[in-house]
Amino acid sequence: MDDLGCGRAWADVHLVKGLRLACPEYGGRVFARASRQVIRHFSHQVRPRDCEPANESAEHHLLKLELAMSARAAGWRAELEVSSEAREWRADVMVFDEHDRPFMALEAQLSPMTQEEAQMRTDRYARDGVAVCWVALQDRP
C-alpha cells in the first residue's frame, strides 16, 4: 500500500535524493528500501542494539503491517509502535478513534508468554482506557 500511515506515500520517501529519514525509536538515519521480493521497509544506516523495531523478526514485522493495513482498510487510523506518554506500554499497532485518541492496541504476539504476563500487559493498557487485541499464529493464553 502506498499510504505509510502518516499522510505520506511510499513515493514521497523511496529513492528521493536529499531526503533524510530518522528512526522514530532512537533517531538514527534510516533509508526506504525494497527487498528482492519487493517488500518495502526502512533500513537503519547503523543497526542499533537497543532499537527494538530494528531487531524484531521479519515474521513479527509483517504481522504488524498486516494488522495496521487491516485497521486502515476498515477506515481507522493506525500507527505502528505507539507508546503511552508515561512509556508504560508500547503497542505494536495503535488504532485511533474518530477523535484521534488511542482506543485499541493490536499486539502481534509470536513469542511465548504466560497468562499472567498477558493479563499484566492488558491491565497496563486498561489503566489508560485502551482495549487490546492479541493476535497470534499459534494457541496462546
Side-chain angles (χ1 to χ4, degrees):
M1 295 179 67
D2 284 330
D3 176 26
L4 296 176
C6 60
R8 297 184 86 173
W10 181 252
D12 295 338
V13 298
H14 187 241
L15 301 177
V16 175
K17 294 196 183 288
L19 182 65
R20 292 188 60 88
L21 301 171
C23 172
E25 182 72 16
Y26 91 107
R29 189 166 187 197
V30 296
F31 301 95
R33 300 210 170 149
S35 71
R36 290 182 193 149
Q37 297 83 18
V38 195
I39 297 174
R40 298 170 177 177
H41 64 282
F42 293 91
S43 175
H44 287 81
Q45 183 175 27
V46 176
R47 185 178 181 130
R49 280 188 230 145
D50 58 348
C51 179
E52 189 174 326
N55 297 309
E56 70 187 4
S57 71
E59 184 178 44
H60 186 253
H61 184 70
L62 290 173
L63 180 54
K64 289 187 333 186
L65 290 175
E66 288 290 332
L67 292 171
M69 288 188 306
S70 295
R72 291 173 188 157
W76 299 101
R77 184 170 78 85
E79 291 183 17
L80 276 70
E81 302 297 332
V82 173
S83 296
S84 69
E85 289 183 22
R87 297 265 192 219
E88 292 179 352
W89 49 256
R90 179 172 60 206
D92 285 336
V93 177
M94 180 57 68
V95 181
F96 295 85
D97 69 13
E98 61 276 359
H99 302 290
D100 211 32
R101 294 179 301 222
F103 85 95
M104 180 173 284
L106 305 176
E107 289 291 340
Q109 189 61 40
L110 300 182
S111 59
M113 95 172 149
T114 66
Q115 189 167 354
E116 291 78 21
E117 289 172 305
Q119 189 62 58
M120 179 187 69
R121 291 174 61 191
T122 299
D123 290 346
R124 273 191 241 152
Y125 283 114
R127 283 194 294 271
D128 287 340
V130 176
V132 63
C133 176
W134 296 95
V135 179
L137 302 179
Q138 302 174 21
D139 287 342
R140 296 280 184 246

